[in-house]
Amino acid sequence: MKTEYGQGRLMGLDYALSGAIALIVAAASIAGLLAPGFVYPTEEARRAFMSNDAVNLALGLPLLLATLGFARRGGLKGLLLWPGALLYLIYNYLAYAAATAFGWQFALYLAVAALSLWALARLLKRIDGEAIRRELGGALPVRAGGAVLAAMGALFFLRAGATLAGDR
């Protein structure tokens, strides 16, 4: 598979890997919703993760599949959003793994995170940053975006600090 921004090096393995990740995410989320007693051993785990399974099916999975479709057609939007979808899965499934006891669920969640990380590394290695910079021509407000992300991060840490201080 060739794509204009991937220097012709985005190969079928990148799509197949992300497709396999999508299948695992779909299966894990559907299992969590249809058989919560089997997947989540405690009521607390069910409350914590069943809503997340629904979000994975309603937002995370469609986002990943849409980015694959757009990127496969050579679209810049798909190529730029694809790493974001993989980062979402890495973050999400590391949280699942951290909250799960060692067992088949832990292995599954860690596998999704690891495969997503591998796919992200492969993808970032193949993207032609210079071609994208030429295409966008400074059209993105990078500084403003960075400022928003920094502010959100600061708010997150302030909230976490306030929560920790309130627990004492």
Side-chain angles (χ1 to χ4, degrees):
M1 288 294 121
K2 293 188 177 189
T3 187
E4 185 178 341
Y5 306 103
Q7 302 172 342
R9 295 184 298 170
L10 285 175
M11 299 179 298
L13 179 59
D14 298 302
Y15 294 105
L17 184 56
S18 289
I21 292 165
L23 286 174
I24 296 168
V25 167
S29 295
I30 290 169
L33 291 172
L34 296 180
F38 175 70
V39 176
Y40 306 117
T42 66
E43 182 62 32
E44 185 178 273
R46 283 188 282 280
R47 277 194 311 253
F49 290 113
M50 283 184 65
S51 59
N52 203 41
D53 287 333
V55 170
N56 287 340
L57 288 174
L59 297 174
L61 192 58
L63 175 65
L64 178 61
L65 295 174
T67 61
L68 289 175
F70 290 135
R72 193 166 192 89
R73 289 190 288 277
L76 181 57
K77 287 179 188 175
L79 191 62
L80 293 177
L81 292 174
W82 191 354
L86 292 170
L87 282 169
Y88 165 78
L89 293 174
I90 293 166
Y91 170 80
N92 199 36
Y93 281 90
L94 282 177
Y96 271 97
T100 304
F102 289 106
W104 69 269
Q105 294 105 327
F106 176 80
L108 178 72
Y109 301 148
L110 202 56
V112 171
L115 288 173
S116 298
L117 184 60
W118 182 37
L120 177 65
R122 283 184 55 86
L123 183 62
L124 292 178
K125 191 175 181 180
R126 285 162 177 71
I127 291 176
D128 184 355
E130 282 304 314
I132 292 172
R133 273 190 278 286
R134 282 192 304 272
E135 175 77 20
L136 296 176
L140 295 177
V142 175
R143 291 181 194 262
V148 168
L149 289 174
M152 302 269 296
L155 289 173
F156 173 79
F157 282 112
L158 286 173
R159 180 175 179 248
T163 301
L164 287 174
D167 287 343
R168 292 181 186 188

